[in-house]
Amino acid sequence: MALGITKTRNLVLAALIGLFALFIAAGPAAEQASANGPCNMWGDKQSNEIRKGQARKAVLCLLNRERKQRGLRELDRSKKLQAASQNHNDYMQNKNCFSHQCRGEASLTGRLQKVDWLGGGLSAWAYGENIAWGSRSYGTPESIVKHWMNSSGHRANILSSRFDEVGVGYTKGTISSRGANGSIMTTNFGWKVG
């Protein structure tokens, strides 16, 4: 009987040592993965150094970093909200307009209906939108998110505990020049029950 207890105790001890070693080894790997994540890889890149998908990933990463620092759940990427955000970006650039609703454009509600994010059968929903544009270093994902965080209304959207998904629109250029080293960004945040 005592032999069985000793074997069990040794197995448990060996398992705990193995888990501890795994935890220690994973620590630097996890830090390295974070250092190579979208926030750090592409967050400070200007539009002439970054692709659309990289910029979107960086913005999502930076938004979720802000939320995580405050104990909020991460936002999930929504393809429908992304489509609405991208459509709005393109409309603003094509019409040389910087607004949440440019002349001739549907309202945010209409844009969300058009991409079928808002549809029949929903019992509750909430949404919000942030827009920004900047040239050169002011147009990096990091700079845009930093400026949003320094604006109470934009920060409220980013840190709303109600929102659980987001779509990021990213367009190279500025409102007045497609060829400029800058970027236009729109984020549509959402939550719905249906």
Side-chain angles (χ1 to χ4, degrees), residues 47-85:
S47 69
N48 61 351
E49 305 170 307
I50 194 171
R51 292 189 313 271
K52 185 184 290 189
Q54 294 169 333
R56 286 179 173 155
K57 287 177 184 175
V59 171
L60 178 60
C61 179
L62 292 162
L63 295 174
N64 281 331
R65 179 187 282 173
E66 294 292 345
R67 291 174 64 87
K68 187 176 179 181
Q69 288 173 354
R70 291 159 180 85
L72 298 167
R73 71 177 177 269
E74 289 188 356
L75 297 166
D76 293 324
R77 177 180 164 254
S78 163
K79 288 183 180 181
K80 290 181 179 183
L81 291 175
Q82 179 178 298
S85 295

Side-chain angles (χ1 to χ4, degrees), residues 18-142:
L19 282 173
F20 180 72
L22 190 63
F23 177 75
I24 295 299
E31 285 179 27
Q32 182 66 25
S34 177
N36 292 331
C39 289
N40 294 327
M41 287 175 55
W42 304 309
D44 64 347
K45 301 296 182 199
Q46 295 182 30
S47 69
N48 61 351
E49 305 170 307
I50 194 171
R51 292 189 313 271
K52 185 184 290 189
Q54 294 169 333
R56 286 179 173 155
K57 287 177 184 175
V59 171
L60 178 60
C61 179
L62 292 162
L63 295 174
N64 281 331
R65 179 187 282 173
E66 294 292 345
R67 291 174 64 87
K68 187 176 179 181
Q69 288 173 354
R70 291 159 180 85
L72 298 167
R73 71 177 177 269
E74 289 188 356
L75 297 166
D76 293 324
R77 177 180 164 254
S78 163
K79 288 183 180 181
K80 290 181 179 183
L81 291 175
Q82 179 178 298
S85 295
Q86 190 62 49
N87 292 343
H88 184 57
N89 262 17
D90 296 342
Y91 196 93
M92 286 192 295
Q93 190 176 56
N94 289 335
K95 299 297 182 180
N96 196 22
C97 167
F98 182 68
S99 175
H100 288 283
Q101 184 176 6
C102 295
R103 186 145 71 128
E105 183 184 30
S107 67
L108 177 55
T109 302
R111 297 194 309 266
L112 295 177
Q113 289 170 332
K114 183 178 179 181
V115 298
D116 200 33
W117 186 83
L118 273 179
L122 294 178
S123 57
W125 62 88
Y127 52 82
E129 178 174 79
N130 288 354
I131 61 173
W133 74 272
S135 298
R136 295 179 292 283
S137 63
Y138 292 107
T140 67
E142 211 169 65

